[in-house]
Amino acid sequence: ATNLLVWFFMWIASLVPPLSIARLIYISPIPFLYSALATFVFGSCVLSISQAISFASKHSALNFFFSLIIIVILNLLHIFASVFYEWAEVQNFLLYLSFYHHFDRASKGILDSRDIVYYFLLLVFCIELNIFILRVKKK
């Protein structure tokens, strides 16, 4: 909860520069809102992944390394998906798992229910993973 609160304040701070120049240039409010919301949800997903990994080990350096690797892989899956151009099912699955694929539409101001479902499922999965790891370590 503390990490999410810190992320929320960092996210608010990241909105200050574009909003401070809103009087000088035209910023379309709906796409701006969608992209800002997508940034917040993306950061929340990254936090939940990192939190789940941090519960798995006591070694903070390893936790950071594994979190970094997993998040980078989730960001680059759209590149790996291009290798499977002959297998549409594999390519679509990898694209669905890719952060970039979902974040790209939202950054353009396009709200897609598939993106919302993806982020929601990822958050629920990581929270459940956190609970599972804590229960296993408690025994």
Side-chain angles (χ1 to χ4, degrees):
T2 306
N3 293 341
L4 190 59
L5 188 62
V6 169
W7 167 237
F8 177 75
F9 287 121
M10 289 172 55
W11 176 70
I12 292 294
S14 74
L15 296 177
V16 171
L19 292 176
S20 68
I21 62 168
R23 301 176 97 202
L24 302 173
I25 61 171
Y26 175 73
I27 296 177
S28 183
I30 300 299
F32 178 76
L33 177 68
Y34 289 162
S35 61
L37 184 63
T39 303
F40 180 75
V41 174
F42 170 74
S44 301
C45 287
V46 168
L47 276 175
S48 66
I49 291 169
S50 296
Q51 193 72 40
I53 292 171
S54 72
F55 285 144
S57 171
K58 293 180 183 178
H59 306 288
S60 59
L62 286 175
N63 295 339
F64 171 77
F65 179 72
F66 289 133
S67 294
L68 177 70
I69 294 298
I70 289 172
I71 292 166
V72 166
I73 288 172
L74 286 173
N75 277 320
L76 297 178
L77 274 177
H78 69 283
I79 296 170
F80 300 129
S82 64
V83 172
F84 297 101
Y85 60 89
E86 291 182 3
W87 299 315
E89 295 84 16
V90 174
Q91 187 177 31
N92 290 336
F93 179 72
L94 290 176
L95 283 175
Y96 186 77
L97 291 179
S98 173
F99 275 147
Y100 176 82
H101 181 68
H102 296 283
F103 192 75
D104 186 47
R105 286 190 294 253
S107 69
K108 294 174 183 170
I110 302 170
L111 183 62
D112 192 350
S113 61
R114 293 175 292 184
D115 300 336
I116 295 169
V117 169
Y118 169 77
Y119 285 123
F120 178 75
L121 288 175
L122 186 61
L123 282 170
V124 168
F125 172 75
C126 289
I127 290 170
E128 289 297 322
L129 184 61
N130 284 329
I131 293 169
F132 174 75
I133 291 170
L134 288 174
R135 284 187 181 158
V136 167
K137 285 190 152 218
K138 194 174 186 180
K139 290 181 183 181

